Amino acid sequence: MKPVLFGPSYSVYVRIAKITLLEKGVDFDQVAFDVFDHNDWPADWPQRQPFGLVPAFEHDGFRLYETRAITRYLDEAFPGPHLQPDDPRGRARMEQVISVLDGQGYRPMVWDIYVERVSRGKTGESDEAAIAAALPKAERRLAALAEILGNQTYLAGADFSLADAQAAPIFDYFVQAGEGRDLLRAQPALAAWWDRLSARPSVRAACAGEAA
Ligand SMILES: N[C@@H](CCC(=O)N[C@@H](CS)C(=O)NCC(=O)O)C(=O)O
């Protein structure tokens, strides 16, 4: 049976899982629905994801939720390129970046900057105070990621890894806001990394289409 990814294509976390599936070359099905509309949820959603979040995943009867668990399973259970560094320090760096993005980056970069400026901006409802408060936070996140990147090609070393998969959908939304583009431009090495990453077919495919 083909693995199944549950969740809408606009979701940052669904996109992370999708990039991983595409990088691994895994053939999969997607069950898409609007996570913010409870009437659109599959009937068994609370059993698949007890917190009502997306994504969830199933492979041959094995059910999983939490994106980090899904991406590691995909990397380890399927053939294809290895998406985790071989050495302990490389893997630790990858984990560090994923933690930073998850815990510190997602909310200010996506919700406070992208959603406020771009999504809510369409109807003139941007919360300027939320954006202003998020900008210095985003600036610190970018500085930290630039320091970790150093002169490497990807965030955890020479090769694309799960850290880059975790980052891509967040950055894809972030740079749609003018403030996001300006902050990224101030970090030239990170901007060059984003140029490389955003050109990857997996990232282009996963981040195309409907937006949040
Ligand atoms: N820790 C979860 C986070 C998932 C998450 O926050 N998903 C968002 C969409 S990108 C969501 O489902 N939001 C719906 C809500 O907050 O009601 C994971 O890594 O899978």
Side-chain angles (χ1 to χ4, degrees):
M1 224 186 83
K2 276 192 212 175
V4 186
L5 179 64
F6 295 83
S9 294
Y10 61 72
S11 154
V12 161
Y13 287 92
V14 171
R15 289 178 174 190
I16 293 166
K18 207 182 260 190
I19 289 168
T20 309
L21 285 155
L22 293 170
E23 289 284 342
K24 294 294 284 187
V26 175
D27 194 17
F28 67 100
D29 288 323
Q30 180 177 357
V31 175
F33 59 92
D34 185 1
V35 70
F36 296 108
D37 176 1
H38 291 200
N39 295 322
D40 202 35
W41 284 9
D44 65 347
W45 195 245
Q47 283 79 56
R48 285 199 183 273
Q49 219 296 2
F51 312 114
L53 301 174
V54 289
F57 175 81
E58 182 167 347
H59 178 220
D60 281 340
F62 178 59
R63 290 181 172 203
L64 202 54
Y65 62 87
E66 284 298 329
T67 307
R68 295 161 75 150
I70 295 168
T71 57
R72 272 152 198 72
Y73 176 77
L74 289 172
D75 191 36
E76 292 168 20
F78 290 89
H82 290 187
L83 303 181
Q84 302 176 75
D86 292 332
D87 62 306
R89 291 186 181 187
R91 274 201 303 285
R93 235 7 129 206
M94 183 193 81
E95 287 297 338
Q96 183 186 20
V97 168
I98 290 173
S99 269
V100 167
L101 290 163
D102 226 5
Q104 319 295 324
Y106 170 65
R107 186 118 317 247
M109 292 173 70
V110 175
W111 283 97
D112 298 341
I113 296 177
Y114 166 76
V115 171
E116 288 302 334
R117 174 61 71 225
V118 181
S119 304
R120 300 191 65 204
K122 286 177 194 145
T123 48
E125 291 170 348
S126 300
D127 181 341
E128 296 296 336
I131 296 172
L135 289 175
K137 294 184 188 172
E139 190 175 18
R140 280 198 297 279
R141 279 43 168 185
L142 296 196
L145 292 172
E147 191 178 348
I148 290 171
L149 177 68
N151 57 11
Q152 303 180 119
T153 309
Y154 287 104
L155 285 168
D159 299 317
F160 174 93
S161 79
L162 299 180
D164 303 289
Q166 192 88 16
I170 295 175
F171 274 79
D172 184 73
Y173 277 134
F174 180 64
V175 299
Q176 290 180 48
E179 290 91 340
R181 285 195 295 279
D182 290 345
L183 288 175
L184 184 59
R185 212 173 293 125
Q187 293 286 354
L190 203 62
W193 158 84
W194 174 243
D195 285 344
R196 279 192 293 282
L197 187 59
S198 56
R200 290 181 81 88
S202 65
V203 173
R204 295 168 71 109
C207 297
E210 50 172 342

